[in-house]
Amino acid sequence: MDKLAGAAGGRHDKTREKVIARAGVIAAKRRVTACLCWTITTDEHGAPSLAWHFDQHVLNAEAAVNGWYALLTSIPADQADPAQVLNHYKGQGTVERRYHDFKGPLAVAPVFVQHNRRVAALVQVICLALLVFCLIERQVRRALGPEQTMTGLYPDNRRVRPTGRMIFYHLGPQT
């Protein structure tokens, strides 16, 4: 905006409308339209000049809610308080990790199917395999108790939460 204020009335920004258009583009591109205030005046020759500032009240209001976001849920208010809703939302990473597992560790060779029934059957088999994968991980973690960590999964024997991938890796050579 300082650059535009210096260039207002110059070769490229001779008219008030051009200055207004450029200021609008800058504010929209920088996403500061709500807090940016500007005034355009013209001198005796009709050359525009730009004065601008940030609205401190808008900035203070934005700073007060910075980092806040709304969570919408279908859970009735009498069944869960805000902390439980937030914990449920934060557990979304587990679901995302399952999608990652769905795409990765099953190590299935490419299969070319030509009928919709077979595609649906293949997806069902893969989902069942993923379900078994997840249930094994869950049972191992439950058996470990509240800490849910164990040693021996890595060469340095550090304590980690076992994943399905690590469990199958260590069970694999014993066949």
Side-chain angles (χ1 to χ4, degrees):
M1 290 297 286
D2 284 334
K3 196 173 180 182
L4 178 60
R11 183 169 56 134
H12 296 291
D13 300 312
K14 290 182 181 180
T15 65
R16 175 184 173 92
E17 290 75 25
K18 284 189 178 183
V19 175
I20 290 172
R22 287 201 49 204
V25 168
I26 291 170
K29 186 175 182 180
R30 303 286 184 196
R31 298 181 183 156
V32 292
T33 54
C35 62
L36 184 64
C37 300
W38 73 76
T39 56
I40 300 174
T41 57
T42 54
D43 63 6
E44 63 274 359
H45 302 293
S49 63
L50 172 71
W52 67 276
H53 68 279
F54 287 113
D55 186 351
Q56 195 60 43
H57 296 297
V58 174
L59 290 176
N60 291 341
E62 290 287 328
V65 296
N66 190 17
W68 289 40
Y69 53 92
L71 291 179
L72 300 177
T73 181
S74 59
I75 302 171
D78 61 344
Q79 292 182 7
D81 64 350
Q84 290 172 323
V85 171
L86 181 64
N87 283 337
H88 186 69
Y89 172 76
K90 294 290 184 175
Q92 180 177 335
T94 304
V95 175
E96 297 295 332
R97 190 170 52 251
R98 292 300 169 220
Y99 280 115
H100 172 74
D101 292 341
F102 183 71
K103 295 175 181 178
L106 296 177
V108 177
V111 178
F112 301 102
V113 292
Q114 298 172 346
H115 300 287
N116 288 342
R117 281 180 311 154
R118 291 186 179 179
V119 171
L122 180 63
V123 169
Q124 187 174 8
V125 168
I126 291 173
C127 287
L128 288 173
L130 180 61
L131 179 65
V132 170
F133 183 85
C134 296
L135 287 174
I136 289 172
E137 179 180 292
R138 180 178 176 214
Q139 286 302 110
V140 168
R141 287 182 179 178
R142 280 188 170 182
L144 291 173
E147 192 174 318
Q148 293 187 350
T149 60
M150 64 185 293
T151 59
L153 295 177
Y154 290 101
D156 60 354
N157 282 331
R158 64 179 176 222
R159 296 192 70 79
V160 294
R161 286 182 72 183
T163 62
R165 185 179 298 209
M166 291 302 293
I167 293 166
F168 280 112
Y169 174 79
H170 287 288
L171 290 176
Q174 298 174 1
T175 57

